[in-house]
Amino acid sequence: DTDFQKKIDHEVRMREGACKLLAACTQRQQALEAAKSLLTCNNRIMAYMSTVQRMKEAQLMQRKVRR
């Protein structure tokens, strides 16, 4: 759980940087690369969050089975 939280935190910081870069871009190619980075960060965050959710659901199911 903490490993995934660290990964999520890292991607959030990367996303914030990509947002700032996107706002500061003056050239089209720079903007495209910043937008690509932003989308990639968002996708990674969603993937990590989905994994954490599945892990929590599996833990709940194990607890229910034990009862």
Side-chain angles (χ1 to χ4, degrees), residues 49-63:
M49 290 175 75
S50 294
T51 300
V52 170
Q53 183 66 32
R54 283 193 302 273
M55 289 168 50
K56 287 182 179 182
E57 288 172 357
Q59 287 174 351
L60 285 174
M61 292 301 287
Q62 287 177 353
R63 290 180 190 158

Side-chain angles (χ1 to χ4, degrees), residues 24-25 28-29 31-32 37 43-44 48 50 53 61:
C25 287
R28 183 178 178 188
Q29 189 62 34
L32 289 173
S37 294
N43 286 335
R44 285 187 185 137
Y48 291 147
S50 294
Q53 183 66 32
M61 292 301 287

Side-chain angles (χ1 to χ4, degrees), residues 14-50:
M14 294 292 289
R15 179 175 64 184
E16 290 169 356
C19 284
K20 289 177 184 177
L21 182 60
L22 186 59
C25 287
T26 57
Q27 297 177 0
R28 183 178 178 188
Q29 189 62 34
Q30 288 175 325
L32 289 173
E33 289 297 322
K36 183 174 129 181
S37 294
L38 185 58
L39 288 172
T40 302
C41 289
N42 283 337
N43 286 335
R44 285 187 185 137
I45 290 168
M46 294 303 294
Y48 291 147
M49 290 175 75
S50 294

